[in-house]
Each structure stands twice: as structure tokens, then as C-alpha cells.
Amino acid sequence: EERAEESKLTFMKSLKLLLKNKYYVIICITYIFTQIYASVIGIGTYYAKYILGNEGLFSDLSLAINITMVIALTVLPIVIQKMGGMYKLNVLGYLVAALGRVGVLVAAYMGSFPLMLAFTAVSTLGIAPLQGDLNALIASCSEYTTLTTGYRLDGMMYSCSSLGIKIGGAFGTAICGWILDAAGYVENAAVQTTATINTLHFLYLWAPIIICVAVMFLLTRLKVEKANADILAERNMTNDDVDTVYGNI
């Protein structure tokens, strides 16, 4: 295979090589969904104010997310090692996340805020693995591009991923704003319209479930670790051989 340094590739050729990597495309789409998820969770401040009747309760929901995330990320390397890789853990994680958000929805309609907190923590526990190993997944995608094309695109791959986070975050925030505006939301109004209240229910309770299911489906297609292992086995190579041939990945 032809080998070339990333700096010698044109932008368009590099972009074409990136788009040929189906696993990287899946990661990019996943990035967008996770950023939209963060935006709809941010709607919780309006949900707490206009539906729970206490804007300060959003701080409790945020605390349940942040504490759980820190704990989960702390033990993540050990869990990945026990699971033998990222694939199963990420898929299982988003299954847990989806079920956790179903629990939040049921608790909300029951009127139980303590249960909402508990299931918010459960959902965050499921989301944490992907949050913690995204960079490792990008590295695996970079290795796949190198193995299948002979070109190294590490720098561009990480740069595009960073750009994707920014674009996804901006798009998520914008779409939530558009939906609320369309529903007739009036900033700082003492009482919102029925359409706005229904929209807040959808955005904060239903949309996260839909997004979690969508991300879980995408993750079932993200078998890049296995793809790399199969290529190495077919060529009778090890990771050290890859480093020797292509440089450090």
C-alpha cells in the first residue's frame, strides 16, 4: 500500500478518505446526537420552572448527573478492561441510559421528584462510558483508516471531531430554541401556553429516550475494534508491527 504523510495530502483528499471510513462517519453522527441530547437535557431548567414549579430543582438534577459522571469516569478504565473492549460496554451503556430515561419519564408523570433524581443518575451511568472513551474510539478509527488506505489522518480526524462537537452543540441549542418558539414560549412569562408545556414534556422527557435509542443503534454498528483486529490477523500483524510500518498511532 502507498504510504503518505498527512501533511502531504490535500484537504479534499483527506476529507474523502475520512468519509470512506464508515466507522468515523458513525462517530460523527453519534457526536451530533450526543450534543443534541445535552441540549434537550438543558431544557430541564424550563421544565423545573414551569412544570415542577421550582427552577432550583434543576440544580439537583444537574448534581445527580455530575456526581454520577465523575464516579463512572473514574472506574471506566477498569470496566473497559473487564469487558474486553469498548464495543459491548458502549452498547450496554446506552441501553441502560435509555431505560434510565424511561424511568425519569415514569417518575415525572407519577410526580415523584426523588425517583426522577434516581433515574437521572442511572441514565448518566449508561452515558458515561461513551463520554469517556470517545477519544479512544477516534484513535481506533484512525488506525482503521491507516490499515485500509495506508494514509495517516490522525490530526485531521481529531480536528474534525472537535469541530463536530461545536457544530452539534450549536445545532442542538438552536433546534430546541426553534421548537420552543414554534410552541409559543414567552421568556419569563408567569404562565406558559398549553402547547409550550406539552413541548417541554416532549423535549425533557421523551426526546432523550429517542436519542438514546438512536445512539444505541449507531453503536451497534461501531465494530471498529473488531475490524482492526480482523485486518491485523489477516495480515499476520500485531499493533507493534503497525507502529513500525506506519509510525506511532
Side-chain angles (χ1 to χ4, degrees):
E1 290 181 341
E2 180 185 7
R3 182 184 174 189
E5 296 297 330
E6 184 174 355
S7 60
K8 296 180 181 179
L9 292 172
T10 64
F11 173 79
M12 289 307 299
K13 187 168 185 178
S14 296
L15 185 60
K16 288 179 180 178
L17 288 173
L18 283 185
L19 294 178
K20 284 176 62 178
N21 186 335
K22 62 181 180 180
Y23 300 113
Y24 185 68
V25 173
I26 290 172
I27 284 182
C28 289
I29 297 172
T30 301
Y31 261 128
I32 294 173
F33 274 119
T34 56
Q35 292 304 307
I36 294 175
Y37 179 90
S39 296
V40 296
I41 292 299
I43 291 294
T45 183
Y46 302 109
Y47 184 88
K49 181 176 181 179
Y50 293 109
I51 297 177
L52 298 180
N54 183 352
E55 189 173 2
L57 292 178
F58 181 66
S59 297
D60 296 331
L61 291 167
S62 297
L63 194 61
I65 292 173
N66 293 332
I67 291 177
T68 306
M69 184 66 73
V70 170
I71 294 173
L73 292 179
T74 300
V75 302
L76 182 60
I78 299 173
V79 178
I80 289 177
Q81 188 174 20
K82 292 285 187 181
M83 296 285 288
M86 298 175 285
Y87 174 75
K88 290 181 180 178
L89 179 59
N90 287 334
V91 174
L92 179 61
Y94 262 84
L95 174 60
V96 171
L99 293 175
R101 290 308 304 186
V102 169
V104 172
L105 182 148
V106 172
Y109 283 115
M110 287 173 56
S112 175
F113 186 70
L115 276 180
M116 287 185 68
L117 286 175
F119 282 114
T120 294
V122 170
S123 182
T124 303
L125 192 65
I127 288 170
L130 184 63
Q131 292 292 316
D133 64 28
L134 264 175
N135 283 339
L137 283 174
I138 294 172
S140 293
C141 285
S142 180
E143 181 176 353
Y144 181 80
T145 291
T146 302
L147 290 172
T148 55
T149 69
Y151 290 93
R152 299 182 56 81
L153 298 172
D154 306 46
M156 185 172 183
M157 197 166 281
Y158 279 102
S159 295
C160 287
S161 299
S162 178
L163 179 62
I165 292 175
K166 293 180 175 63
I167 293 174
F171 178 72
T173 300
I175 197 170
C176 286
W178 295 334
I179 292 173
L180 283 176
D181 285 344
Y185 170 77
V186 178
E187 187 175 1
N188 296 322
V191 178
Q192 297 292 343
T193 64
T194 300
T196 299
I197 296 300
N198 291 335
T199 299
L200 288 174
H201 276 294
F202 172 77
L203 287 175
Y204 190 69
L205 299 179
W206 292 93
I209 299 172
I210 297 171
I211 295 171
C212 283
V213 172
V215 172
M216 183 176 67
F217 171 76
L218 289 169
L219 292 176
T220 64
R221 320 304 297 172
L222 193 57
K223 299 180 180 180
V224 64
E225 292 172 289
K226 183 179 185 301
N228 288 341
D230 288 346
I231 292 173
L232 291 176
E234 182 181 335
R235 298 178 184 176
N236 196 26
M237 295 173 62
T238 67
N239 285 326
D240 290 338
D241 294 329
V242 175
D243 293 343
T244 299
V245 175
Y246 300 105
N248 293 325
I249 292 177

